Amino acid sequence: MLKYIDNKILYDYNKCQQCGICDAICPKHAISFELQHNGTHKVIVDNDKCIRCKRCVNSCPVNKCEEYKNYFDSFKDKKYFLGYNSNDKVRRESSSGGVCKTLIIEGLRSGYIDGVYTLKKTDKYPYAEGEFYTKENIPDYCDLPNSIYHSVMACTNVNRIERCNRLMIVGTSCQLRALEKIAKSRCNELIKICIFCKQQKTLDSTRFLAKIIGEKINNDKKFYAQYRGTGWPGIVKINNSSLPWHRAAQLPFGRRLWTVPGCDVCGDSYGIESNADITLMDPWIIRERNELGETLITVHTEKGLKILKDIHNIVLEAKSYIEVEPALSLKDVWRKQRLVPFFRGEECGDKIIKAGKAELRQRKLLSCIAKKLPRMPILFYRILCKAPDFRNKILK
Ligand SMILES: Cc1cc2nc3c(=O)[nH]c(=O)nc-3n(C[C@H](O)[C@H](O)[C@H](O)COP(=O)(O)OP(=O)(O)OC[C@H]3O[C@@H](n4cnc5c(N)ncnc54)[C@H](O)[C@@H]3O)c2cc1C
């Protein structure tokens, strides 16, 4: 997070959401990044080069106040679908059902949109970067990454966005917030696809996954990682070994270990405060493990509904709120929102302080156990997950 105080731009790593917009929009190249051992970047501001234009501060997603007022009120009235690509191979190899990639690729192929800003795969850590696609530069399904859970500074190439009529931006809620201003200024109509996100992970989470699989991530950060794909919820593959995702991810995700610090100050998992048109997520609980996969789609706007219906190759099954409610994680998002003031260092009540401190203690304890012990059988980590969740017990 960047702040302007006493004629200086100051950086707070503990609130940084790792979007990378600050570097992209600095007119004087006064911002650089320092890659940490845990795979996140520290922002370095050269206050001698800086001309105090505050563009970085104004674009920083953490400074765009989230209020969560009436956040959950409209969920009963939204439209929901389970969706997937009509091609089984694409569906099977995508993160959930391949809806996101289909919107990007088929949207460009059909001319429905004429520009998309999203990620492309790269061959060095973090193995993805922001890319602007047009009808002259349509990606293939294999060019777009599945969900990457270690942090990717998705907004660093935002200057590649060229003027277009209908532009689509794809990202987590913080990335959409960071991208909004520049994207709006370069198109006549903006469509926002939010990747539902409760937390991005540091590389320590991937190191943990590697350990339980029996692989290692070296300090040079050269490794092969595939998150998701091969059915639903699919696998995690690191170097040459893999494990079913539902087994591997239980501890890091369920217990919020190795979360990017800035994710603690964001409670907008659905991108509602970022004015997303649709949100894409996994159909946890409501779907069994299967060979192909589906994406759970929450539609927030008419524009979102229209794009789903107008873009080909997506099969849609309409669902009611009652049918999808167990998968929506609303209680969890609500708990996350309650702790945001604690992590922002703002004034909060005793119960929130108690829950926040319990959360920190739990994360420290569990990550310490997981890191220090040698590789244990997967059953050990599953039992660890059954221990009471302090935060949830306090917040109910
Ligand atoms: C960090 C993160 C945390 C998530 N947490 C949850 C969760 O807690 N619960 C849940 O139900 N779902 C979560 N998801 C969403 C889920 O993993 C799928 O992305 C979603 O269901 C869409 O699936 P799909 O098959 O339609 O996507 P695909 O068609 O496979 O397309 C994936 C798209 O996501 C983009 N992408 C991948 N990684 C990133 C990234 N790090 N930042 C920005 N864009 C990215 C790719 O460029 C691609 O366009 C998370 C995703 C991410 C990236």
Side-chain angles (χ1 to χ4, degrees):
M1 178 204 203
L2 291 165
K3 265 197 164 167
Y4 179 69
I5 299 174
D6 293 340
N7 199 31
K8 274 192 172 160
I9 305 290
L10 300 179
Y11 172 63
D12 184 349
Y13 172 75
N14 288 319
K15 292 183 191 145
C16 177
Q17 296 175 338
Q18 303 285 311
C19 70
I21 191 83
C22 46
D23 172 46
I25 59 153
C26 177
K28 292 289 167 190
H29 306 289
I31 286 177
S32 55
F33 300 130
E34 190 182 285
L35 181 58
Q36 313 289 298
H37 177 74
N38 74 0
T40 63
H41 291 80
K42 268 196 176 159
V43 173
I44 315 285
V45 184
D46 183 338
N47 269 293
D48 292 335
K49 279 192 189 168
C50 171
I51 54 165
R52 284 33 170 193
C53 68
K54 294 183 233 156
R55 289 179 70 182
C56 56
V57 175
N58 294 335
S59 298
C60 178
V62 187
N63 291 328
K64 301 196 174 147
C65 202
E66 295 173 35
E67 297 192 349
Y68 320 126
K69 262 195 205 147
N70 311 323
Y71 196 89
F72 300 101
D73 287 3
S74 58
F75 273 84
K76 284 193 177 119
D77 304 322
K78 292 185 190 292
K79 292 203 164 51
Y80 299 96
F81 297 92
L82 282 180
Y84 51 87
N85 188 293
S86 53
N87 178 314
D88 280 359
K89 185 167 181 287
V90 171
R91 187 178 168 189
R92 188 183 305 111
E93 294 313 322
S94 297
S95 318
S96 304
V99 169
C100 192
K101 291 179 190 171
T102 316
L103 289 173
I104 296 167
I105 293 168
E106 305 306 332
L108 284 170
R109 281 181 185 162
S110 64
Y112 188 85
I113 43 176
D114 48 4
V116 183
Y117 187 79
T118 181
L119 296 183
K120 72 167 179 191
K121 286 185 191 168
T122 61
D123 54 8
K124 79 178 215 291
Y125 182 81
Y127 299 107
E129 66 178 28
E131 182 61 293
F132 176 61
Y133 295 104
T134 63
K135 67 175 188 310
E136 278 83 38
N137 165 30
I138 302 179
D140 211 339
Y141 281 91
C142 59
D143 298 327
L144 302 177
N146 280 354
S147 300
I148 297 187
Y149 297 107
H150 60 248
S151 82
V152 178
M153 293 187 124
C155 304
T156 47
N157 293 330
V158 66
N159 290 327
R160 292 184 191 166
I161 300 180
E162 289 159 20
R163 176 92 215 154
C164 41
N165 180 34
R166 206 180 259 157
L167 170 68
M168 181 193 278
I169 55 175
V170 179
T172 58
S173 113
C174 60
Q175 295 161 3
L176 293 183
R177 260 199 311 284
L179 289 169
E180 170 150 25
K181 199 167 169 206
I182 201 159
K184 250 190 183 160
S185 71
R186 296 199 184 165
C187 68
N188 297 329
E189 190 185 345
L190 185 59
I191 298 170
K192 296 182 190 169
I193 310 295
C194 181
I195 311 273
F196 178 88
C197 173
K198 285 190 275 188
Q199 52 197 316
Q200 300 168 74
K201 293 298 189 186
T202 71
L203 196 53
D204 289 339
S205 169
T206 311
R207 286 197 178 93
F208 166 75
L209 296 177
K211 179 160 113 177
I212 63 174
I213 293 172
E215 293 282 343
K216 196 165 181 261
I217 292 177
N218 294 325
N219 285 342
D220 61 8
K221 299 185 177 64
K222 283 192 186 143
F223 60 97
Y224 171 84
Q226 178 196 335
Y227 305 101
R228 315 293 304 271
T230 314
W232 188 84
I235 59 163
V236 52
K237 185 169 185 197
I238 297 183
N239 298 334
N240 296 314
S241 313
S242 65
L243 199 69
W245 180 253
H246 69 281
R247 292 256 156 86
Q250 261 182 346
L251 188 61
F253 283 82
R255 294 312 164 103
R256 306 168 296 281
L257 309 187
W258 306 297
T259 293
V260 165
C263 296
D264 287 330
V265 296
C266 170
D268 185 21
S269 302
Y270 278 89
I272 291 175
E273 309 256 319
S274 317
N275 302 311
D277 294 299
I278 61 174
T279 304
L280 305 176
M281 64 196 295
D282 280 296
W284 296 118
I285 304 174
I286 60 170
R287 291 294 289 135
E288 299 279 322
R289 287 198 293 283
N290 67 68
E291 287 297 308
L292 295 167
E294 286 117 7
T295 308
L296 174 55
I297 308 166
T298 303
V299 183
H300 305 291
T301 63
E302 283 302 319
K303 206 196 282 180
L305 190 59
K306 189 159 170 12
I307 187 177
L308 280 176
K309 302 242 156 118
D310 286 354
I311 290 183
H312 303 298
N313 294 20
I314 299 181
V315 181
L316 293 172
E317 283 173 33
K319 295 282 163 193
S320 67
Y321 171 74
I322 302 288
E323 286 173 295
V324 299
E325 195 269 339
L328 294 177
S329 281
L330 297 182
K331 189 80 197 233
D332 221 28
V333 175
W334 176 81
R335 289 193 193 102
K336 194 163 190 287
Q337 291 181 0
R338 304 279 323 263
L339 286 194
V340 166
F342 172 83
F343 285 112
R344 279 186 181 257
E346 293 165 0
E347 215 173 295
C348 39
D350 289 348
K351 191 170 172 180
I352 301 298
I353 294 174
K354 199 170 156 201
K357 286 186 173 168
E359 166 80 351
L360 290 178
R361 274 198 303 273
Q362 175 176 298
R363 284 191 204 175
K364 199 168 169 194
L365 177 72
L366 291 180
S367 56
C368 206
I369 293 173
K371 259 188 187 167
K372 290 218 165 122
L373 288 179
R375 181 184 177 203
M376 305 295 278
I378 195 81
L379 184 65
F380 171 81
Y381 303 107
R382 293 177 71 190
I383 293 171
L384 215 54
C385 271
K386 298 268 181 234
D389 191 322
F390 298 147
R391 178 196 77 168
N392 294 0
K393 280 214 169 298
I394 296 166
L395 293 177
K396 290 264 166 39

